């Protein structure tokens, strides 16, 4: 990868397929190691409260097996905080979580929970985790993330991707303009800027081209594409598109 734009591969949905049958396979840790060999700069895994895909033992095994950084996604709950403090992953990305949602549908409302969230992330920061907050591209949320002492904001690209794939080009362009402006604001505040959710071969390049963005986290599309092309090739193709957009 270009030194200034990393690709984090989210392996949650390998676990989704495994859990559909109650077997031990396909193994998300095997997928993570393959992704690492294929050039992933990091591995992302979301331990949801309901354990619908990644499970506790997956996190233990990932932490033991990976040589690239682990980005541990979690809700702001006491249970998850204790797990993160046990493993001390390279990065902890705080995401909103609702049981009834299919995926992480929106960003965290940092502004509304600012004091509680500042207290919540303090021990994670002290333990040495790089704390990232998954938020909508919104100035109020970015400023709040900055005030609570987050090192990173990950901007939610879901609305942009949905608008593209659902054939709403004006909305897509408006979302892209918003992401671009908010990436600049976050960067000016000194935050490291990441982006992710819903990215595909068709949508990745305008996001990869935003100069302030340092990392993309991509999962569902890559795991789906792996059915057709293999995981290594899907990752390689995503990286090619990212490098092309950046140059
Ligand atoms: N970033 C964050 C914070 C996420 O919650 C997710 C989904 O788990 C992703 C990136 C990856 O999204 P997708 O699986 O749609 O590529």
């Amino acid at each position: 990868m270009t030194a200034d734009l990393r690709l984090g591969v989210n392996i949650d949905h390998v676990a989704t397929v495994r859990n559909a049958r109650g077997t031990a396979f396909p193994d998300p840790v095997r997928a993570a190691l393959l992704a690492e060999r294929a050039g992933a700069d990091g591995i992302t895994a979301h331990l949801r409260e309901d354990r619908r895909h990644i499970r506790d033992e997956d996190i233990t095994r990932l932490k033991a097996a990976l040589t690239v950084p682990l980005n541990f996604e979690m809700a702001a709950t006491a249970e998850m905080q204790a797990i993160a403090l046990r493993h001390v992953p390279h990065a902890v990305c705080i995401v909103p979580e609702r049981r009834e949602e299919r995926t992480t549908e929106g960003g965290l409302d940092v502004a509304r929970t600012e004091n509680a969230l500042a207290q919540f992330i303090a021990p994670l920061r002290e333990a040495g985790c790089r704390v990232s907050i998954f938020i909508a591209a919104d100035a109020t949320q970015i400023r709040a993330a900055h005030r609570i002492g987050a090192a990173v904001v990950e901007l939610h690209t879901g609305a942009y991707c949905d608008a593209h794939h659902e054939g709403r080009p004006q909305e897509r362009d408006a979302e892209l303009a918003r992401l671009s402006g908010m990436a600049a604001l976050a960067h000016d505040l000194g935050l490291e800027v990441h982006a992710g959710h819903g990215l595909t071969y068709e949508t990745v390049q305008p996001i990869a081209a935003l100069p302030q963005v340092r990392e993309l986290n991509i999962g569902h599309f890559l795991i789906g594409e792996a059915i057709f092309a293999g995981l290594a090739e899907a990752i390689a193709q995503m990286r090619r598109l990212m490098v092309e957009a950046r140059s």
Side-chain angles (χ1 to χ4, degrees):
M1 179 56 36
T2 53
D4 70 340
L5 182 62
R6 298 185 298 269
L7 172 60
V9 173
N10 179 318
I11 42 87
D12 292 351
H13 295 303
V14 178
T16 303
V17 176
R18 174 193 63 190
N19 297 0
R21 294 294 292 272
T23 50
F25 55 85
D27 178 10
V29 180
R30 183 178 170 197
L33 293 173
L34 199 161
E36 201 178 81
R37 285 196 299 278
D41 299 293
I43 297 295
T44 294
H46 182 180
L47 185 66
R48 292 187 76 103
E49 190 189 5
D50 63 8
R51 310 304 199 263
R52 72 173 70 157
H53 38 59
I54 294 296
R55 296 177 179 150
D56 300 60
E57 62 270 24
D58 296 326
I59 297 295
T60 305
R61 291 172 58 233
L62 283 168
K63 191 71 190 12
L66 289 178
T67 57
V68 294
L70 173 64
N71 176 29
F72 178 60
E73 279 185 19
M74 58 176 235
T77 66
E79 183 201 16
M80 289 301 152
Q81 188 192 53
I83 293 170
L85 289 173
R86 205 157 57 238
H87 292 294
V88 193
H90 167 79
V92 169
C93 181
I94 313 291
V95 302
E97 208 175 286
R98 285 187 295 122
R99 267 171 194 264
E100 63 276 16
E101 70 188 358
R102 255 187 303 182
T103 179
T104 314
E105 281 163 7
L108 200 67
D109 191 347
V110 195
R112 196 175 53 82
T113 53
E114 192 170 325
N115 291 340
L117 210 55
Q119 280 181 27
F120 182 83
I121 68 170
L124 298 167
R125 294 172 61 198
E126 279 157 26
C129 299
R130 220 165 146 67
V131 174
S132 166
I133 311 282
F134 189 43
I135 52 174
D138 177 280
T140 305
Q141 300 299 341
I142 290 168
R143 290 187 200 285
H146 176 245
R147 280 195 301 271
I148 66 169
V152 180
V153 285
E154 180 160 333
L155 300 180
H156 198 308
T157 52
Y160 153 76
C161 293
D162 286 349
H164 173 80
H165 287 289
E166 292 165 13
R168 290 177 273 118
Q170 282 182 336
E171 219 174 294
R172 175 200 58 207
D173 294 348
E175 287 296 337
L176 189 57
R178 198 158 67 95
L179 285 159
S180 171
M182 292 302 110
L185 171 67
H187 180 261
D188 287 350
L189 289 170
L191 290 157
E192 184 171 312
V193 184
H194 298 177
H197 209 282
L199 291 169
T200 63
Y201 293 157
E202 285 183 26
T203 52
V204 74
Q205 288 199 308
I207 302 297
L210 300 177
Q212 302 87 359
V213 174
R214 302 292 309 277
E215 179 173 307
L216 300 180
N217 283 300
I218 309 181
H220 181 257
F221 176 80
L222 285 175
I223 302 305
E225 193 60 19
I227 295 168
F228 307 104
L231 185 56
E233 175 51 30
I235 290 170
Q237 174 61 8
M238 191 60 85
R239 287 184 53 146
R240 279 194 286 273
L241 291 169
M242 288 165 63
V243 170
E244 188 182 277
R246 204 74 170 180
S247 59

